[in-house]
Amino acid sequence: MKQEKEIIFNGEFEDSEDEDEDQSQDYDSDEDLNKKKKKKSLQNTNKNLIMNVSDTQYPVVKFVGKMINKFKLQYVPYQEINNWDFCWTDNAVLPETLAKMQSHQKINHFPGMYSLARKNHLGKNLNKMQKQFPEEYDFYPRTWMLPSEYNDFKQQFGKAKTFILKPEASCQGRGIFLTRSIESINPTEHYVAQRYIHKPLLIDGLKFDLRMYVLICGCDPLRLYLYKEGLARFATQAYIAPNLNNLDDICMHLTNYAINKDNPNFIFNQDEKKMDVGHKRSMSSVFQLLRDLNHNVDQLMDDIKDLIIKTFCSVQPILQQNYTQVDNYANNMCFEILGFDILIDSSLKPYLLEVNHTPSFTADTPLDQYIKKNLIADTITLMNINLKTKNEVIQQKKDEMQKRVLTGKKTKLTIEEKKQIKLQLQKQRDDYESQNKGNYELIYPCSKSYEEYLQHSLKIYEEWTGANIRRNQKKESIQINQDSQNKSQSLPKKIQLEKRSTLYKHIQSRINTNLFPIIKNEQNKGNEVIQEGEEQPPNQIITIPEVDNDNYVPYEDYQQQSLESIKDYYAYTDKRGLELQILDFFQQRKAEKRLNNSHIQYQNGQNIQSPLSQIKGVLQGIAIKNVRQFAIKKNTKNMKISQKQNQDNEQEKPQENPSRQQIISSQFTYQQTNPQGMTGAYLKPKVFSLKLQHPPKGYKLQSLPLLMQQNSTKFRYE
Ligand code: ADP
């Protein structure tokens, strides 16, 4: 806790415009000259570094930024301005924010952290892991998501079992209750229900839990630190195992500070140097007490670290997927301090209760002021946020650009090169952090392997998102490339079919995953999908896009960037001669639209060419005859295709597959500027968005994680 002697935080902070003013009066007067020089130089360098604090309510955050790190504080909403170097927000961060950031910028949240921070998501993710590893994941009390798991939950009620019910998106103990009867639960309400740990470890006859601070400072690969200091929060009423008479005593069963601080029994800690008194104490003082009582605290700490790492393993693929928005080989643009709430039972087994992605930085007691100030300061130091590092990163980018200009070559790195760069940056980071970790302890990577948990959670994630389709597709595509290199132009029929199925899967995976190719510049089109160093296969195979998450964006972004790429998409399929798959796709879409009160409105009421026919025309390279203008209007749900139009289009009527009906509701607005008489007339879709509602049989619903993330953020933070 190196800053403790230097600058004391007393719970209040007023920003001052005078940046150069030396406000740190707390330095000892006989402070040695070197320290002063060091401080002065930090002040001079960092004063140009902008810390955006527009979305934090905590004085301690601003205090550390300004008084310890000498950053310039910025109060303009961080989403509206992009010249900040470092942003601290009390709320979740959306993937869009990350996508706009430059590699020298840092923000204190990871998009996708809802998967840990929302009780229902945490429950679902850990339950899935528990299913596969029941013993290794037994640190999480058995949990049911209501109402969906109501029936199973109902079976659990029997003699002497107590359950705790928590609203799925609440905090600070709000809305929580204990119960022993299923009748007290509304079967339609959304709750996270949990077995109640009825034999907690007690200190002075009181139940307590631990608030431990965990820093995740990289998600690909995972990089986790545990802060050696934290808080122990005590209940204010002596604990008695739950019985029908005391289930309502929240100050006995719940240890939340927000609940207990209003109890007249509550003793506030008054002195940061005496951290072992009162109903909120330092974590280290509790561990010391347990040591004194001959408890095996080392084992307890090992179990806690293990529990933390396993918890992150369950969501690592989600975080990684969200992080692919940035090309950040250093793996360091996001970091997040998470509050892990741990309950210890009487046998000294730790249980995870919940994970807070915005742990409170309220500092209303000397104990809080001391711990939280140091926690934030150590975090900023560990994240290496300073002007020197910023300049290095910017210079590195400039060098790369210059290299590109000079060589005139797009330097797309091979997977191996990327790996090497990542390793090199990780090594630099290891060196820096080992010297600058303050009170943090690196807990992952570590000597123990967690690979099987990571692999399993990846498998779960892929099943959920269908990403395995993409990966198989990639393998298949590589295989095809190799095949085509080896074989002559006239491929045997079997291989051609294989290629068709490949493309078909590819298209399906794009639809299912809501991920689409990143738009490339004109000059980069075509063979840029080939990794440098790889030999270019013959016969236009180069036009098959690389199925690599790095190269795909959510459809919404794709659509915004350029619609031309849809055309490109068709163009390469044309080259591949695999138009049938595209036609299939459109037929299916059309069928679904028809069955779902199609929005198509034919403007002239005449026999027209559908997009299917027109694209077919493009693909076959022939002019489309009798093309007539039409529009498919957005939000015109009541408009139906007339009987006549249906008949007119009879020849294109797809073989409607009932299992795919009502799968995708799409909204199109097509406009055609000059369709008639155009050779190879092509209808350029102006608006084209997909909303997956029910996955077709055999497919997983892909876009859900993205949608849920946005919804959950709204739900929680509005
Ligand atoms: P909140 O986010 O509202 O604080 P928590 O899940 O942290 O919700 O629960 C609040 C408190 O309830 C905890 O601090 C703990 O004291 C108690 N608690 C929660 N879950 C359990 C459980 N399964 N067994 C025993 N006590 C629990």
Side-chain angles (χ1 to χ4, degrees):
M1 305 233 173
K2 60 188 176 195
Q3 282 92 11
E4 185 228 349
K5 278 189 186 152
E6 298 176 354
I7 305 177
I8 290 168
F9 175 58
N10 63 10
E12 284 167 18
F13 173 71
E14 285 247 350
D15 197 4
S16 143
E17 288 303 304
D18 188 355
E19 291 153 28
D20 290 330
E21 188 191 337
D22 187 354
Q23 297 178 58
S24 50
Q25 301 303 328
D26 304 298
Y27 276 81
D28 295 339
S29 52
D30 58 346
E31 194 84 41
D32 74 53
L33 202 64
N34 265 351
K35 253 190 177 175
K36 274 192 178 158
K37 268 192 193 159
K38 205 174 158 191
K39 195 206 104 210
K40 193 79 194 159
S41 80
L42 183 71
Q43 185 170 348
N44 286 337
T45 49
N46 280 353
K47 72 178 181 190
N48 293 323
L49 211 76
I50 300 174
M51 176 181 186
N52 190 298
V53 288
S54 59
D55 193 31
T56 179
Q57 53 160 317
Y58 297 116
V60 64
V61 172
K62 297 171 193 167
F63 177 87
V64 173
K66 176 96 181 201
M67 306 303 291
I68 296 180
N69 289 281
K70 308 296 169 193
F71 297 144
K72 186 172 181 168
L73 302 188
Q74 183 184 61
Y75 296 89
V76 183
Y78 73 91
Q79 302 92 335
E80 291 172 17
I81 195 165
N82 204 24
N83 68 346
W84 45 264
D85 300 299
F86 167 37
C87 174
W88 193 289
T89 158
D90 298 342
N91 291 307
V93 163
L94 291 174
E96 294 93 278
T97 304
L98 184 60
K100 282 188 217 146
M101 282 168 58
Q102 295 170 44
S103 43
H104 70 272
Q105 291 179 299
K106 292 198 187 347
I107 196 158
N108 70 326
H109 290 281
F110 279 86
M113 201 53 90
Y114 67 93
S115 51
L116 276 192
R118 285 261 306 221
K119 289 185 174 69
N120 52 344
H121 286 272
L122 178 74
K124 275 181 202 154
N125 288 321
L126 289 179
N127 278 357
K128 283 182 199 160
M129 296 299 279
Q130 240 170 22
K131 220 170 167 183
Q132 178 73 11
F133 306 105
E135 281 169 23
E136 293 84 348
Y137 273 78
D138 69 346
F139 55 81
Y140 188 59
R142 201 157 164 215
T143 303
W144 295 262
M145 262 49 71
L146 303 185
S148 60
E149 294 173 352
Y150 181 81
N151 285 339
D152 184 33
F153 180 53
K154 201 172 161 185
Q155 312 295 319
Q156 311 299 321
F157 280 80
K159 43 187 172 134
K161 276 191 191 165
T162 308
F163 297 90
I164 182 164
L165 276 95
K166 315 174 187 184
E168 58 184 23
S170 75
C171 55
Q172 299 188 325
R174 276 193 288 263
I176 294 185
F177 63 93
L178 270 59
T179 186
R180 285 185 163 197
S181 81
I182 188 74
E183 287 74 34
S184 62
I185 299 160
N186 178 344
T188 62
E189 278 212 31
H190 285 251
Y191 276 111
V192 171
Q194 231 172 37
R195 273 303 302 270
Y196 186 72
I197 312 290
H198 65 289
K199 278 190 187 169
L201 182 69
L202 305 179
I203 291 181
D204 302 337
L206 299 174
K207 177 176 172 178
F208 69 96
D209 76 347
L210 301 175
R211 159 60 53 91
M212 305 187 84
Y213 296 105
V214 178
L215 176 71
I216 169 172
C217 54
C219 68
D220 179 23
L222 268 184
R223 200 169 177 84
L224 306 172
Y225 281 89
L226 174 63
Y227 205 60
K228 289 182 192 157
E229 192 53 284
L231 296 166
R233 290 124 8 136
F234 286 74
T236 38
Q237 208 174 315
Y239 186 79
I240 300 170
N243 61 52
L244 287 174
N245 297 325
N246 70 13
L247 294 180
D248 293 338
D249 291 339
I250 53 170
C251 288
M252 175 190 293
H253 294 293
L254 306 191
T255 51
N256 300 80
Y257 175 62
I259 287 179
N260 287 283
K261 71 172 195 260
D262 295 330
N263 189 312
N265 292 343
F266 196 95
I267 298 170
F268 287 87
N269 180 284
Q270 304 290 357
D271 181 357
E272 69 177 47
K273 292 197 180 70
K274 281 183 72 63
M275 298 204 270
D276 55 351
V277 290
H279 288 92
K280 185 152 57 162
R281 306 183 192 175
S282 74
M283 184 175 84
S284 56
S285 75
V286 167
F287 285 152
Q288 189 51 52
L289 189 72
L290 296 180
R291 276 204 170 90
D292 295 346
L293 293 169
N294 282 330
H295 286 298
N296 188 347
V297 175
D298 292 339
Q299 181 61 51
L300 172 66
M301 282 309 293
D302 285 348
D303 292 346
I304 290 175
K305 286 175 207 166
D306 184 60
L307 158 174
I308 292 168
I309 300 167
K310 283 178 181 159
T311 302
F312 275 104
C313 287
S314 72
V315 299
Q316 189 273 341
I318 302 174
L319 301 179
Q320 182 180 342
Q321 180 58 41
N322 277 281
Y323 203 72
T324 51
Q325 317 240 10
V326 284
D327 240 359
N328 176 225
Y329 300 134
N331 188 24
N332 66 355
M333 285 167 68
C334 298
F335 67 93
E336 190 154 351
I337 301 173
L338 294 140
F340 271 65
D341 291 350
I342 308 279
L343 185 74
I344 304 166
D345 78 1
S346 55
S347 65
L348 222 67
K349 178 177 166 53
Y351 284 92
L352 176 68
L353 297 184
E354 76 156 342
V355 180
N356 289 277
H357 70 149
T358 52
S360 165
F361 289 120
T362 304
D364 53 357
T365 69
L367 177 75
D368 288 281
Q369 288 152 14
Y370 174 76
I371 292 176
K372 291 170 185 174
K373 180 200 74 178
N374 288 317
L375 169 68
I376 294 166
D378 284 356
T379 305
I380 294 175
T381 308
L382 188 103
M383 289 309 298
N384 202 356
I385 302 172
N386 54 59
L387 198 68
K388 184 171 165 276
T389 311
K390 173 189 167 179
N391 289 339
E392 280 169 11
V393 174
I394 291 174
Q395 188 57 46
Q396 221 170 340
K397 283 270 157 192
K398 273 189 193 159
D399 293 348
E400 275 169 28
M401 288 271 280
Q402 211 161 20
K403 200 168 146 197
R404 254 183 239 177
V405 173
L406 288 176
T407 57
K409 192 171 134 199
K410 185 174 185 312
T411 49
K412 192 164 192 330
L413 301 167
T414 62
I415 293 169
E416 189 48 37
E417 281 169 331
K418 281 185 193 172
K419 207 168 134 189
Q420 287 308 323
I421 294 175
K422 280 186 177 180
L423 280 176
Q424 194 189 337
L425 290 167
Q426 194 166 308
K427 168 88 180 58
Q428 285 172 11
R429 207 169 162 186
D430 286 340
D431 293 345
Y432 170 83
E433 289 173 7
S434 64
Q435 302 296 317
N436 293 280
K437 58 180 189 277
N439 215 15
Y440 274 116
E441 178 191 355
L442 180 68
I443 58 170
Y444 190 86
C446 60
S447 54
K448 184 178 165 188
S449 170
Y450 286 83
E451 207 45 44
E452 61 173 329
Y453 310 120
L454 286 165
Q455 284 305 324
H456 187 68
S457 82
L458 180 64
K459 192 171 151 231
I460 294 169
Y461 179 71
E462 288 181 343
E463 280 167 11
W464 170 242
T465 61
N468 53 343
I469 298 177
R470 292 200 298 279
R471 196 146 42 87
N472 292 341
Q473 157 62 24
K474 186 174 185 173
K475 275 189 207 149
E476 216 173 323
S477 147
I478 291 166
Q479 183 60 44
I480 288 164
N481 285 357
Q482 285 167 354
D483 285 352
S484 64
Q485 277 180 314
N486 298 337
K487 292 178 185 174
S488 69
Q489 285 194 352
S490 59
L491 295 168
K493 198 168 182 214
K494 199 171 169 220
I495 302 258
Q496 283 201 17
L497 282 174
E498 193 179 25
K499 285 167 74 177
R500 284 182 180 200
S501 73
T502 302
L503 182 63
Y504 187 73
K505 270 194 220 163
H506 180 80
I507 294 165
Q508 283 295 353
S509 76
R510 299 278 70 74
I511 303 160
N512 286 329
T513 54
N514 199 25
L515 291 175
F516 283 78
I518 284 169
I519 309 307
K520 311 291 184 187
N521 293 332
E522 202 60 44
Q523 70 267 28
N524 295 334
K525 280 178 191 161
N527 62 359
E528 80 158 348
V529 295
I530 299 299
Q531 298 281 342
E532 241 182 46
E534 282 176 21
E535 220 179 298
Q536 207 166 286
N539 302 335
Q540 317 278 336
I541 292 294
I542 51 172
T543 52
I544 293 183
E546 182 190 10
V547 187
D548 179 343
N549 285 344
D550 286 354
N551 289 331
Y552 289 91
V553 293
Y555 195 84
E556 289 73 13
D557 293 353
Y558 173 78
Q559 172 204 339
Q560 273 167 21
Q561 290 179 58
S562 162
L563 288 165
E564 284 304 309
S565 290
I566 294 176
K567 197 165 150 189
D568 298 338
Y569 205 61
Y570 300 143
Y572 82 72
T573 54
D574 182 21
K575 284 184 199 157
R576 302 299 331 128
L578 297 170
E579 58 276 79
L580 278 177
Q581 278 72 37
I582 295 283
L583 298 182
D584 262 359
F585 163 42
F586 272 90
Q587 279 182 335
Q588 181 196 328
R589 298 286 308 277
K590 227 174 113 196
E592 285 148 3
K593 284 179 65 60
R594 280 188 184 150
L595 290 160
N596 286 306
N597 296 334
S598 171
H599 307 153
I600 299 176
Q601 182 199 14
Y602 294 95
Q603 288 182 343
N604 297 333
Q606 297 167 27
N607 185 15
I608 64 149
Q609 292 285 331
S610 68
L612 168 66
S613 308
Q614 296 184 45
I615 288 161
K616 196 173 174 182
V618 174
L619 295 175
Q620 291 171 346
I622 54 161
I624 293 174
K625 294 189 179 84
N626 302 323
V627 177
R628 289 180 193 149
Q629 195 169 17
F630 72 93
I632 304 170
K633 284 202 171 165
K634 211 174 167 182
N635 298 330
T636 50
K637 288 197 175 161
N638 299 329
M639 292 183 193
K640 296 187 179 177
I641 307 173
S642 71
Q643 203 60 36
K644 180 177 179 303
Q645 284 155 357
N646 275 335
Q647 283 161 10
D648 287 343
N649 289 284
E650 200 57 48
Q651 77 274 18
E652 292 148 16
K653 198 160 185 172
Q655 299 98 33
E656 291 160 3
N657 177 354
S659 70
R660 290 189 172 169
Q661 291 170 11
Q662 303 184 4
I663 296 158
I664 302 171
S665 85
S666 330
Q667 298 169 341
F668 287 71
T669 299
Y670 278 97
Q671 280 181 356
Q672 186 183 6
T673 46
N674 181 22
Q676 267 151 6
M678 268 170 71
T679 305
Y682 174 76
L683 273 186
K684 188 172 164 185
K686 287 288 181 200
V687 177
F688 184 110
S689 77
L690 292 174
K691 275 191 187 159
L692 303 180
Q693 287 181 345
H694 304 287
K697 210 171 175 187
Y699 289 97
K700 303 282 176 193
L701 187 50
Q702 309 301 320
S703 56
L704 255 187
L706 276 166
L707 297 175
M708 284 189 323
Q709 181 175 337
Q710 281 151 15
N711 290 345
S712 78
T713 306
K714 260 193 185 159
F715 191 76
R716 178 151 188 174
Y717 295 103
E718 273 178 7

